[in-house]
Amino acid sequence: MAGSSRAPVGVLALQGDFREHLAVLGRLGADAVAVRRPEEIEAVSGLVIPGGESSVMDKLARTFGVADVVRRRIAEGLPVYGTCAGMIMLADTVLDGIRGQQSFGGLDVAVRRNAFGAQTESFEADLEVPELGDPPVHAVFIRAPVVAELGPRARALAALPDGTVVAVEQGALLGTSFHPEMTDELRFHRYFLDKVAVSSAGSSRP
Ligand code: GLN
């Protein structure tokens, strides 16, 4: 059937916790591959951008010549899921970046890096995510960014009790401030794979 010949889902493996994402996608039965080179990124049906350090990921992406390919594929509608640093890479605007820091963009949001400061380097919280239903998502935040401004094209999926937005979607794009790949939480990746399936079905239509 069509499923067996579908292009794999890529996990951007320049830097960060890409192995954890590959493991989660594998548990969900997806054909997931680590990608680093432009031609590898051309061939995927969806892309996960892992957590790590966005300023380093940005430099590596430009050095290895993948930034422009990722940007173009996002503009063409490629489903992309970014966690933490990956969400920073997806944001149209990055606040508190290092000098000259760039993102791929695509998500109509302004994201603030390291938004919880040195006092609260990491913490965990249970989040209601109506789109995913019960139970709440146990979210792990590590030097996490937040969505400081939500543009009209983006939609909040989850917020902290004080209203700070920490998960967003916009069409085929998905971003979370936290790391579902580090816990037993599979629902965000499944939600993302649903976007990949919809996108792949659309593009193979005659
Ligand atoms: N603080 C990191 C950055 O700016 C993100 C941290 C993470 O991905 N866990 O990229």
Side-chain angles (χ1 to χ4, degrees):
M1 274 287 296
S4 57
S5 61
R6 187 182 292 163
V9 173
V11 181
L12 190 62
L14 297 171
Q15 192 267 339
D17 73 337
F18 56 89
R19 291 177 193 83
E20 285 79 356
H21 282 284
L22 288 167
V24 175
L25 292 166
R27 281 174 69 184
L28 289 170
D31 177 15
V33 293
V35 292
R36 312 186 163 75
R37 291 203 290 257
E39 61 271 26
E40 293 169 334
I41 293 163
E42 293 286 8
V44 295
S45 59
L47 184 69
V48 173
I49 308 178
E53 173 47 53
S54 57
S55 59
V56 176
M57 216 182 289
D58 164 40
K59 282 186 188 152
L60 293 173
R62 286 191 269 155
T63 303
F64 289 109
V66 303
D68 289 339
V69 183
V70 174
R71 243 176 232 127
R72 178 175 47 73
R73 293 224 59 199
I74 291 172
E76 289 168 356
L78 182 72
V80 184
Y81 176 24
T83 61
C84 202
M87 182 175 80
I88 298 171
M89 295 305 297
L90 270 182
D92 280 345
T93 304
V94 178
L95 306 173
D96 293 344
I98 67 163
R99 185 192 299 254
Q101 180 167 349
Q102 296 179 17
S103 62
F104 301 135
L107 262 184
D108 185 15
V109 295
V111 160
R112 186 175 303 285
R113 286 177 69 229
N114 303 327
F116 299 98
Q119 298 297 320
T120 318
E121 281 249 305
S122 64
F123 64 99
E124 301 184 13
D126 288 320
L127 299 175
E128 298 288 345
V129 185
E131 213 63 56
L132 301 183
D134 283 330
V137 169
H138 186 69
V140 176
F141 295 82
I142 303 168
R143 288 182 297 110
V146 300
V147 177
E149 290 165 37
L150 192 66
R153 289 181 293 135
R155 183 167 87 95
L157 291 179
L160 293 171
D162 69 359
T164 303
V165 173
V166 290
V168 286
E169 74 172 339
Q170 179 183 322
L173 305 179
L174 181 64
T176 57
S177 300
F178 48 90
H179 292 274
E181 76 280 9
M182 289 185 177
T183 58
D184 260 341
E185 179 57 68
L186 301 177
R187 288 172 291 171
F188 274 100
H189 288 78
R190 193 178 290 130
Y191 192 71
F192 167 67
L193 289 174
D194 286 347
K195 291 181 184 294
V196 175
V198 167
S199 161
S200 298
S203 60
S204 64
R205 206 174 287 148

